[in-house]
Amino acid sequence: MMTATLHDLPSPLSLYLKAAASATRKPGKLSRLPPLALRLAGVRPDAARLAAYCEVCGITPSEVLPIAFPQVAVTALHMTLMTQPKFPLPLLGLVHVSNRIEQRRPIGAGETWDAEVRIGASREVRAGLEFDLLTDVTIDGEVVWTAVTTIIHRRGGGASGGKRPPPAANADDARLARYDVLKAAADTGRRYARVSGDYNPIHLYAATAKLFGFPRAIAHGMWSLARCVGALEDQLATPPTVLEVQFKQPLLLPATVSLKSLPESDGVRFWLLAQKSSKVHLTGALR
């Protein structure tokens, strides 16, 4: 696998133009993706961007990066990889189904690091082709943070991916669970787009979301994930080392939702639930 090293990234506008142009790609019954990789050297998050991220996600600022922030900081690197001519799938319509982050040590807010993104394993599931987008953060040659972002290219049929949800809570769990009410304003997608660089039109306005079949704008999955972390951070005595999330159903904006959390011996398990229906937006674990 050849890995090209970048020192800066294309503008979000140019990336989204390339993403739109990828709609002409016809992958057919493709069952495996090419082993593409890109590396970005010398990443040092802007302090104002980090502060805005913490504010929109309800995270208490500190001297270390929030566990999901490194992935947000290299969103443009992910898009740069997938807009390369050798990547065969159209970007519009790709669905983020799960994320697993492992933080081997906290990353200081002022540290400089390198990031590498590459295409990992791909597999055929009932709903289409599922693949992993792998991200590593290194400091002085040491891998300190990794993420597995699982994405699906749907081909029709069922809507399920290849991942199984965590086991349902039993009756004893219910007595121990905590419930928090979280609010997502109508402009959440636009505010998060400004700090993440993810300007997918399904997240911005009802009018642009309707072009893709949604009745209203939907929250970014990575915002929902981070908002849960912000609400749960008081349940951990030390910075988290692992964050796992499975995305279930879109969160339409504006919304008021319930965050159910259940303490475990090594962390907390959680569910983001609709208040007026049985809809589950995501499930996960933080430890």
Side-chain angles (χ1 to χ4, degrees):
M1 179 187 298
M2 295 293 293
T3 304
T5 298
L6 307 177
H7 294 277
D8 52 32
L9 293 169
S11 70
L13 176 59
S14 66
L15 286 173
Y16 275 95
L17 290 174
K18 289 180 180 180
S22 74
T24 61
R25 294 173 178 172
K26 305 295 182 184
K29 289 293 184 180
L30 182 75
S31 61
R32 185 175 300 174
L33 299 180
L36 303 175
L38 282 177
R39 182 173 177 269
L40 180 63
V43 181
R44 185 168 184 169
D46 177 76
R49 181 185 185 188
L50 176 58
Y53 172 84
C54 290
E55 181 180 2
V56 73
C57 298
I59 294 172
T60 303
S62 76
E63 296 180 354
V64 300
L65 298 181
I67 189 169
F69 186 78
Q71 181 162 330
V72 175
V74 297
T75 293
L77 186 62
H78 293 172
M79 288 195 65
T80 301
L81 181 72
M82 292 188 290
T83 53
Q84 290 188 331
K86 290 184 179 180
F87 185 78
L89 302 177
L91 270 67
L92 297 179
L94 292 180
V95 178
H96 186 182
V97 296
S98 69
N99 231 80
R100 186 183 193 280
I101 294 171
E102 180 182 348
Q103 183 169 255
R104 299 177 185 177
R105 73 150 171 90
I107 302 172
E111 286 191 274
T112 300
W113 37 273
D114 299 334
E116 181 178 310
V117 176
R118 60 192 184 278
I119 303 297
S122 53
R123 54 207 160 262
E124 293 191 66
V125 296
R126 185 175 62 179
L129 179 66
E130 190 176 84
F131 67 96
D132 296 329
L133 189 60
L134 310 178
T135 308
D136 291 344
V137 167
T138 60
I139 298 177
D140 296 329
E142 177 192 0
V143 176
V144 298
W145 184 100
T146 65
V148 180
T149 303
T150 301
I151 298 170
I152 191 166
H153 166 65
R154 288 183 174 165
R155 292 177 175 150
S160 298
K163 306 277 184 172
R164 293 184 179 181
N170 60 33
D172 290 336
D173 291 343
R175 290 196 297 269
L176 299 172
R178 184 178 99 175
Y179 288 84
D180 294 288
V181 175
L182 305 181
K183 294 183 180 292
D187 66 347
T188 297
R190 298 190 292 278
R191 293 176 61 208
Y192 187 77
R194 286 193 288 271
V195 299
S196 68
D198 183 350
Y199 284 91
N200 188 323
I202 64 175
H203 302 305
L204 304 181
Y205 298 94
T208 54
K210 285 177 181 177
L211 297 174
F212 298 89
F214 296 98
R216 304 195 305 274
I218 66 172
H220 295 75
M222 290 299 292
W223 174 85
S224 299
L225 171 158
R227 184 65 189 91
C228 292
V229 172
L232 297 170
E233 59 186 358
D234 66 337
Q235 297 194 44
L236 298 181
T238 58
T241 58
V242 175
L243 172 61
E244 296 177 297
V245 170
Q246 295 79 42
F247 299 103
K248 300 300 181 182
Q249 298 186 63
L251 175 58
L252 297 174
L253 300 171
T256 300
V257 290
S258 294
L259 175 61
K260 175 184 175 182
S261 58
L262 183 69
E264 297 185 312
S265 59
D266 60 347
V268 59
R269 191 151 36 108
F270 59 92
W271 299 257
L272 191 63
L273 310 169
Q275 284 202 317
K276 297 182 179 180
S277 73
S278 59
K279 183 180 292 187
V280 179
H281 298 295
L282 61 80
T283 65
L286 184 67
R287 51 184 184 271

